[in-house]
Amino acid sequence: MAAEEGQRVDQYTQDGTVDLKGNPVLRSKRGGWTACSFVVVYEVFERMAYYGISSNLILYLTNKLHQGTVTSANNVTNWVGTIWITPILGAYVADAHLGRYWTFLIASIIYLSGMSVLTLAVSLPSLKPPPCRDPHVESCKKASPLHLAVFYGALYTLAIGTGGTKPNISTIGADQFDDFDPKEKNHKLSFFNWWMFSIFFGTLFANTVLVYIQDNVGWALGYGLPTLGLLISVIIFLAGTPFYRHKVPTGSPFTRMAKVIVAAVRKWTVTLPSDPKELHELNLEDYTKTGKFRIDSTPTLRFLNKAAVKTGSNSPWKLCSITQIEETKQMIRMVPILVATFVPSTMVAQINTLFVKQGTTLDRAIGSFKIPPASLSGFVTLSMLVSVVLYDRFFVKIMQKLTKNPRGITLLQRMAIGMLFHIVIMVVASLTERYRLNLAKEHGVVENGGQVPITIFILLPQFVLMGTADAFLEVAKIEFFYDQAPESMKSLGTSYAMTTLGMGNFLSSFLLSTVSHITKKHGHKGWILNNLNASHLDYYYAFFTVLNVLNFIFFLVMTKMYVYKAEISDSIKVLTEELRVTTYKPSDKEESET
């Protein structure tokens, strides 16, 4: 009888996950890839909705709202920046108050509302200026304050909604695997690869079918389809509710970190004891009861350890546990890595802005069919899909034999490879643009901004390389910030990966405006004009190359200083040992001795 009861207990997950009622969950009944399938299907449709808007947004702003190149590009990057910054708020609400499931669900309703209003804004003639075929957009009638208020109001309502969905949906997916079970831990190591692989099917549909519909059929249908798709995806997510594992909210991560910093500052002059065991820490039972994990003291950022020095006061703003301090350290240690990803994220912002604008100046005809400029973004997706499969199925297995690391290479090494790709991308983009400008001069289409007689596919290499870079950098980035965040701050950690994209887009807006302004001084034409044939995007991309090189050096320095957090379980050690056993081949002498 006791043996049977022990067997039943072993079936429960050990990572503190519960059902919606707060009861511990059976591993065999919930979680795993079964639960993840509902989450992944949601993300496929959500990506279709998001990229259905963002991929072609710059063309809607220029062709329908009659905005200039710099203005429209900055409006795109400012909005995309907001999309990726708001997840910090969504992560806070999830970790501190509502939990990931309910935060996600409420945010989805807001997201749907924004999409619905946006569809109306592009559909009703009264909500946009009259059509204008003049190639010089400055001569067209501008959008009225009402037009802009409805359109941007819908866009930024949508941004608020994504703030609650983005940091929680991938975290919900990763939460379906138990770190204490080696088999599930092994699945978790591949989760983010297949997560990115799956969701980019939605991106591919948006970058091909939806942008074609928007350019050739109508914006109403082009925005209406992703809105309908988003509604279906929320229903699918709800259908998976009986299979999900949930993490209980543990209080505000910002407050917990603030208490550590304030307590350490207050004890500025206090001497740290030589033995870390003299510092304040809760009993192991206190953590076990609440499903949390105790963390041992580390020598990094030692100043913060002063928050755990016992001075007689038990105020939470004067005395913190070692675990609370280590959680704060883990979040702070990731900040330099976060900063180092801003510049690569700025490069990603060029895909839906300047790269697309370049495409409008080139020959897009294949027979009677005209390629939508934004559809080249589909090659980013295709390249990434292929690269992720090759990475997970071949590259990882080859590197496992060499490094004995279950991941093949470390997450930071994977990010570094992606950053090297970004340097190559901007070199290629600069040389391609120089070639395009030379052709524009040869055919006399510089001043009139006419079409340059060369196929749009000359831009293909920079799009394909961007997808390969994403397979390394973007996948590693989201896994790194999730993996290295404390167990009680996973949503906040995941939001770091979103924040870097937000800051990258804001940085893109700043650089574009600043470079445009500076290069127009002293009577010069400037590098970025409404007429790209008279511009110098080749110089701008060369500037980005130098910026990427400097950032890569900074990243290497930060990587050298970074200390990975300790694993909460022995699963990685078990997987590492299994690798050593399977890759070890005894010599003939050893076999004969045996």
Side-chain angles (χ1 to χ4, degrees):
M1 183 72 179
E4 290 177 3
E5 186 173 340
Q7 189 176 8
R8 284 198 299 269
V9 171
D10 286 341
Q11 292 177 349
Y12 287 103
T13 57
Q14 300 175 53
D15 60 350
T17 49
V18 296
D19 60 19
L20 278 176
K21 295 180 180 179
N23 302 313
V25 296
L26 288 169
R27 183 179 290 116
S28 59
K29 295 292 181 65
R30 288 175 180 259
W33 284 112
T34 301
C36 280
S37 62
F38 293 93
V39 176
V40 167
V41 169
Y42 164 83
E43 192 66 0
V44 170
F45 281 97
E46 192 280 331
R47 292 292 83 188
M48 181 183 77
Y50 169 68
Y51 282 104
I53 297 170
S54 63
S55 296
N56 228 10
L57 183 57
I58 190 169
L59 295 188
Y60 186 85
L61 295 178
T62 52
N63 297 340
K64 300 299 179 180
L65 297 187
H66 311 145
Q67 297 179 353
T69 299
V70 173
T71 300
S72 57
N74 283 346
N75 282 335
V76 171
T77 50
N78 287 338
W79 173 70
V80 174
T82 305
I83 284 277
W84 294 110
I85 285 291
T86 50
I88 292 180
L89 298 176
Y92 163 76
V93 173
D95 283 342
H97 301 292
L98 299 179
R100 289 157 198 163
Y101 178 87
W102 291 112
T103 302
F104 170 83
L105 209 54
I106 293 170
S108 295
I109 296 171
I110 299 172
Y111 194 165
L112 268 171
S113 301
M115 286 289 295
S116 301
V117 175
L118 191 64
T119 302
L120 287 176
V122 301
S123 304
L124 301 178
S126 59
L127 293 178
K128 52 188 175 182
C132 177
R133 297 189 178 277
D134 194 322
H136 302 285
V137 294
E138 56 270 16
S139 303
C140 297
K141 185 177 180 180
K142 302 298 180 186
S144 70
L146 175 62
H147 299 156
L148 297 176
V150 174
F151 187 78
Y152 285 113
L155 277 180
Y156 282 91
T157 298
L158 186 159
I160 293 171
T162 58
T165 60
K166 285 185 184 296
N168 292 306
I169 188 64
S170 60
T171 313
I172 289 172
D175 285 346
Q176 305 311 309
F177 302 100
D178 189 348
D179 279 313
F180 289 87
D181 182 84
K183 184 179 179 181
E184 290 202 11
K185 180 66 175 180
N186 191 36
H187 289 161
K188 193 172 185 175
L189 295 181
S190 292
F191 167 72
F192 286 103
N193 286 331
W194 293 107
W195 165 261
M196 295 297 285
F197 177 85
S198 300
I199 65 177
F200 269 81
F201 277 111
T203 308
L204 182 62
F205 182 83
N207 290 334
T208 52
V209 177
L210 286 182
V211 296
Y212 176 80
I213 291 173
Q214 291 165 1
D215 282 2
N216 297 279
V217 180
W219 291 90
L221 184 61
Y223 278 19
L225 285 176
T227 303
L228 179 62
L230 186 64
L231 175 62
I232 294 171
S233 70
V234 174
I235 295 171
I236 291 172
F237 175 83
L238 285 172
T241 299
F243 301 98
Y244 300 143
R245 300 173 186 173
H246 305 277
K247 292 288 182 76
V248 178
T250 55
S252 168
F254 297 115
T255 303
R256 287 170 63 81
M257 291 189 288
K259 287 176 180 177
V260 171
I261 295 169
V262 170
V265 170
R266 283 182 169 182
K267 298 175 184 177
W268 183 277
T269 57
V270 172
T271 303
L272 281 169
S274 56
D275 186 358
K277 293 180 180 179
E278 296 180 27
L279 298 173
H280 174 63
E281 180 57 290
L282 302 178
N283 294 324
L284 185 59
E285 292 77 17
D286 294 326
Y287 292 105
T288 305
K289 289 176 184 175
T290 55
K292 297 180 182 178
F293 305 94
R294 192 165 72 177
I295 308 173
D296 293 330
S297 179
T298 62
T300 59
L301 299 172
R302 289 187 74 248
F303 166 73
L304 293 177
N305 287 355
K306 293 187 176 185
V309 175
K310 300 170 185 175
T311 57
S313 173
N314 291 325
S315 167
W317 292 92
K318 287 187 177 181
L319 184 66
C320 303
S321 68
I322 282 294
T323 295
Q324 187 177 344
I325 292 169
E326 291 303 318
E327 288 175 341
T328 304
K329 287 182 182 180
Q330 288 169 6
M331 297 305 296
I332 292 175
R333 280 202 301 261
M334 291 192 292
V335 170
I337 304 297
L338 173 70
V339 173
T341 59
F342 290 171
V343 170
S345 295
T346 303
M347 303 307 104
V348 174
Q350 308 314 306
I351 297 173
N352 295 330
T353 53
L354 296 180
F355 283 11
V356 172
K357 282 292 289 181
Q358 281 178 281
T360 62
T361 68
L362 300 169
D363 181 10
R364 298 182 283 125
I366 299 180
S368 60
F369 176 76
K370 273 205 167 186
I371 302 169
S375 67
L376 283 192
S377 300
F379 287 97
V380 176
T381 307
L382 282 172
S383 173
M384 184 175 183
L385 291 174
V386 173
S387 298
V388 165
V389 173
L390 293 176
Y391 182 91
D392 194 76
R393 290 301 182 191
F394 299 101
F395 183 82
V396 170
K397 288 178 172 54
I398 293 170
M399 295 309 298
Q400 281 176 342
K401 294 178 181 179
L402 298 174
T403 65
K404 305 301 183 290
N405 184 333
R407 283 192 171 92
I409 56 176
T410 68
L411 293 172
L412 290 177
Q413 288 170 341
R414 185 174 180 179
M415 290 168 68
I417 294 172
M419 289 184 180
L420 284 173
F421 269 106
H422 276 287
I423 296 172
V424 175
I425 289 165
M426 297 324 296
V427 170
V428 170
S430 180
L431 294 175
T432 302
E433 177 62 7
R434 180 174 295 184
Y435 177 65
R436 190 190 70 83
L437 291 175
N438 287 336
L439 282 178
K441 289 177 184 177
E442 290 177 12
H443 291 85
V445 292
V446 173
E447 296 303 324
N448 63 14
Q451 186 183 89
V452 180
I454 189 170
T455 176
I456 192 174
F457 289 113
I458 65 162
L459 300 179
L460 201 55
Q462 62 204 57
F463 282 92
V464 171
L465 286 171
M466 192 68 79
T468 307
D470 283 353
F472 284 90
L473 180 55
E474 295 305 314
V475 178
K477 188 169 65 176
I478 191 170
E479 183 177 357
F480 173 81
F481 289 122
Y482 173 87
D483 182 74
Q484 293 297 295
E487 297 305 307
S488 61
M489 301 180 184
K490 289 298 187 186
S491 290
L492 181 61
T494 304
S495 76
Y496 272 23
M498 318 294 172
T499 300
T500 175
L501 289 168
M503 294 304 296
N505 276 274
F506 288 134
L507 183 59
S508 178
S509 295
F510 170 76
L511 290 174
L512 187 64
S513 298
T514 303
V515 171
S516 175
H517 174 71
I518 291 175
T519 55
K520 283 181 181 177
K521 285 185 175 181
H522 310 299
H524 295 290
K525 279 187 175 181
W527 287 3
I528 305 105
L529 308 172
N530 290 339
N531 178 3
L532 289 192
N533 292 349
S535 300
H536 265 299
L537 282 185
D538 55 334
Y539 295 169
Y540 190 54
Y541 291 157
F543 163 69
F544 274 159
T545 303
V546 175
L547 198 60
N548 274 285
V549 170
L550 295 175
N551 184 74
F552 182 70
I553 295 170
F554 171 71
F555 178 77
L556 291 181
V557 174
M558 294 301 102
T559 300
K560 193 76 174 175
M561 297 167 58
Y562 187 77
V563 179
Y564 284 93
K565 77 165 191 173
E567 293 285 341
I568 63 170
S569 72
D570 293 330
S571 296
I572 285 289
K573 291 181 181 178
V574 172
L575 294 173
T576 303
E577 188 59 33
E578 287 177 357
L579 274 176
R580 286 176 179 160
V581 171
T582 55
T583 56
Y584 174 70
K585 293 182 179 179
S587 63
D588 294 337
K589 183 179 178 181
E590 289 174 316
E591 288 180 346
S592 62
E593 289 176 352
T594 304

